[in-house]
């Protein structure tokens, strides 16, 4: 099941809270840390992609605005 950006952020927040409690055995801590690292990578990639999409849309809107004038 693919998670949305918001769901990934929420899960990452949960991971931070879990790790802050420091109550997990070492192996589970490592697993959850790795999950967090994977989410961070995915969020960075998704943010970059969204940023580029916004730039592209903004550029098209500006071109359309100029052509109307």
């Amino acid at each position: 099941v693919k998670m949305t950006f918001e769901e990934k952020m929420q899960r990452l927040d949960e991971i931070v809270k879990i790790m802050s409690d420091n109550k997990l055995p070492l192996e589970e801590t490592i697993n959850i840390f790795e999950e967090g690292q994977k989410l961070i990578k995915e969020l960075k990639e998704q943010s970059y992609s969204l940023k580029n999409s916004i730039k592209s849309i903004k550029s098209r809107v500006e071109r359309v605005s100029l052509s109307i004038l």
Side-chain angles (χ1 to χ4, degrees):
V1 177
K2 191 169 181 170
M3 295 171 71
T4 66
F5 187 87
E6 292 78 10
E7 290 168 335
K8 289 177 186 178
M9 289 294 294
Q10 183 177 1
R11 178 61 182 150
L12 188 57
D13 188 50
E14 291 170 1
I15 288 171
V16 169
K17 288 176 184 170
I18 291 168
M19 291 190 70
S20 294
D21 289 343
N22 204 21
K23 294 180 181 177
L24 293 177
L26 181 59
E27 188 172 323
E28 286 181 53
T29 300
I30 291 170
N31 289 338
I32 203 160
F33 175 81
E34 289 173 346
E35 180 186 352
Q37 291 295 308
K38 181 180 176 216
L39 285 172
I40 290 169
K41 181 179 183 247
E42 291 173 5
L43 286 164
K44 281 182 179 180
E45 290 170 357
Q46 202 170 353
S47 292
Y48 183 76
S49 176
L50 290 169
K51 183 178 177 182
N52 285 336
S53 294
I54 290 168
K55 282 182 180 180
S56 176
I57 291 167
K58 184 179 175 186
S59 177
R60 283 184 270 164
V61 167
E62 288 172 354
R63 282 195 305 264
V64 168
S65 294
L66 288 174
S67 69
I68 293 174
L69 297 175

